């Protein structure tokens, strides 16, 4: 087994999206090859309704898939296909924009006025850019949760892990999307397919991710799989950890435990032409999408 080195640790950046929603962006709109097949990851978490209530009014998407995971509050959604619905706490929605869709997402707080959720964008390969749009909504009760003997808990949202398979399937990026909690003081190793790009996003508590490549900034030294590795300073709330190649990651939970998303996917390795919510392979395809928006042909008839 080989430990994945930590390529980068960075804080998610505060930004504004939609009609005035304050959120933290871990990555997006920079180098799309960094975490290919993933393009963008947003953490929308607010304590005040005025920071999110205006939501994300009608806007287009083409050429991507989005995975929305709600932890608290609700998100009401509607689209140009006539679909409507509400995502509640623990629920997941996977949307394939494909050839084009117009939709809106309007967050509503819980009884305390709080809202928390994540949105991940996955790229579509050129062969699937213009497929028919589709949705999959999954209720939280249908997401399997594994509880290990040491108290580690893993919700398997997408992919297969420790013998359990998540209910969301058919995503082109073929991701593994896990919601992980490791209790205080516990050290845990998680396998990841060698050929996938991978990142972790910490959103509660803190911990240290083992890094075989960096002797500096050592917090602890541990024996992992027979190799001496270094565990960097604790990573806390809203921290992105981008991993290099290998087939496992190890985390040492801090004094309050750590909860994080562990996400990996097979790279597509294709050119990316990107403008806002539209992601194609060439500038010509991007320009065509803009013309379609202007002349009213963005939404393609169902075949």
């Amino acid at each position: 087994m080989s430990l994945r080195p930590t390529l980068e640790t960075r804080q998610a950046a505060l930004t504004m999206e939609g009609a005035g929603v304050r959120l933290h962006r871990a990555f997006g709109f920079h180098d799309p090859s960094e975490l290919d097949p993933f393009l963008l990851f947003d953490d929308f978490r607010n304590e005040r309704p005025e920071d999110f209530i205006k939501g994300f009014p009608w806007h287009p998407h083409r050429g991507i898939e989005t995975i929305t995971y709600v932890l608290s509050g609700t998100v009401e959604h509607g689209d140009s296909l006539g679909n409507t619905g509400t995502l509640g706490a623990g629920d997941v929605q996977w949307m394939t924009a494909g050839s084009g869709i117009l939709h809106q997402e309007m967050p509503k707080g819980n009884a305390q006025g709080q809202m928390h959720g994540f949105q991940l964008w996955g790229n579509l390969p050129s062969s699937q850019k213009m497929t028919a749009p589709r949705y999959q909504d999954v209720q939280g009760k249908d997401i399997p949760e594994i509880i290990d003997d040491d108290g580690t808990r893993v919700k398997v949202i997408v992919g297969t892990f420790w013998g359990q398979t998540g209910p969301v399937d058919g995503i082109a990026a073929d991701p593994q999307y896990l919601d992980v909690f490791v209790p205080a003081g516990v050290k845990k190793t998680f396998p990841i397919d060698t050929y996938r790009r991978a990142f972790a996003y910490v959103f509660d508590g803190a911990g240290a991710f083992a890094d075989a490549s960096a002797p500096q900034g050592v917090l602890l030294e541990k024996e992992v799989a027979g190799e001496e590795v270094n565990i960097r300073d604790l990573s806390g709330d809203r921290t992105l950890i981008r991993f290099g190649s290998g087939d496992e990651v190890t985390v040492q939970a801090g004094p309050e435990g750590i909860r994080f998303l562990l996400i990996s996917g097979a790279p597509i390795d294709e050119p990316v032409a990107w403008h806002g919510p539209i992601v194609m392979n060439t500038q010509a395809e991007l320009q065509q999408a803009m013309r379609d928006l202007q002349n009213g042909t963005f939404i393609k008839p169902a075949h």
Side-chain angles (χ1 to χ4, degrees):
M1 303 294 283
S2 62
L3 190 69
R4 284 180 175 249
T6 299
L7 298 181
E8 182 183 16
T9 299
R10 67 172 179 248
Q11 289 296 113
L14 180 64
T15 189
M16 199 82 77
E17 279 293 351
V21 178
R22 290 167 59 90
L23 53 82
H24 284 77
R25 179 159 292 154
F27 63 88
F29 298 107
H30 292 295
D31 180 0
S33 68
E34 265 189 357
L35 283 163
D36 178 20
F38 306 116
L39 297 163
L40 176 145
F41 181 84
D42 284 342
D43 177 351
F44 52 99
R45 180 188 342 177
N46 291 294
E47 303 292 325
R48 306 184 311 160
E50 56 264 39
D51 288 337
F52 62 79
I53 203 67
K54 293 180 180 178
F56 306 90
W58 293 98
H59 58 280
H61 283 292
R62 178 179 284 182
I64 65 169
E65 299 185 280
T66 66
I67 303 168
T68 305
Y69 178 30
V70 177
L71 291 185
S72 61
T74 61
V75 177
E76 296 177 358
H77 65 89
D79 68 31
S80 51
L81 302 176
N83 296 310
T84 59
T86 300
L87 296 176
D91 295 349
V92 174
Q93 180 191 81
W94 153 46
M95 181 194 76
T96 302
S99 61
I101 198 165
L102 298 172
H103 78 153
Q104 65 172 353
E105 299 157 300
M106 307 303 288
K108 309 289 182 185
N110 60 16
Q112 292 74 44
Q114 301 162 326
M115 181 70 220
H116 191 192
F118 306 105
Q119 188 167 93
L120 175 69
W121 290 12
N123 200 5
L124 281 168
S126 56
S127 61
Q128 298 184 38
K129 289 283 191 192
M130 298 299 287
T131 54
R134 60 189 186 277
Y135 274 92
Q136 185 174 344
D137 286 351
V138 175
Q139 293 187 326
K141 65 180 179 63
D142 296 324
I143 296 173
E145 182 175 32
I146 306 162
I147 303 176
D148 209 1
D149 294 341
D150 59 11
T152 297
R153 299 196 306 267
V154 179
K155 292 183 179 180
V156 185
I157 296 168
V158 188
T160 298
F161 186 77
W162 286 351
Q164 294 285 337
T165 299
V168 182
D169 60 11
I171 301 179
D174 188 26
Q176 185 181 70
Y177 191 131
L178 310 175
D179 177 349
V180 179
F181 171 75
V182 180
V186 171
K187 184 181 70 174
K188 201 73 176 174
T189 296
F190 301 92
I192 299 179
D193 187 286
T194 307
Y195 300 102
R196 292 168 172 261
R197 299 262 167 78
F199 69 92
Y201 181 76
V202 181
F203 63 94
D204 195 17
F209 287 84
D211 184 358
S213 69
Q216 72 276 13
V218 175
L219 178 68
L220 299 168
E221 288 197 344
K222 297 285 183 181
E223 284 285 331
V224 179
E227 298 179 24
E228 193 75 16
V229 300
N230 301 302
I231 298 184
R232 285 187 168 181
D233 296 342
L234 292 177
S235 295
D237 189 22
R238 295 194 177 105
T239 301
L240 172 78
I241 300 95
R242 187 164 62 92
F243 300 109
S245 59
D247 52 22
E248 62 183 21
V249 300
T250 294
V251 64
Q252 174 78 50
E256 298 176 357
I258 183 173
R259 189 174 176 190
F260 59 96
L261 303 178
L262 183 58
I263 298 174
S264 62
I268 294 173
D269 288 327
E270 291 181 353
V272 173
W274 187 353
H275 181 76
I278 298 171
V279 184
M280 305 303 289
N281 293 105
T282 68
Q283 287 299 316
E285 291 170 337
L286 205 54
Q287 290 161 8
Q288 182 61 54
M290 297 305 162
R291 287 194 294 271
D292 290 348
L293 274 172
Q294 291 166 1
N295 63 25
T297 60
F298 188 79
I299 305 302
K300 304 300 180 186
H303 295 296

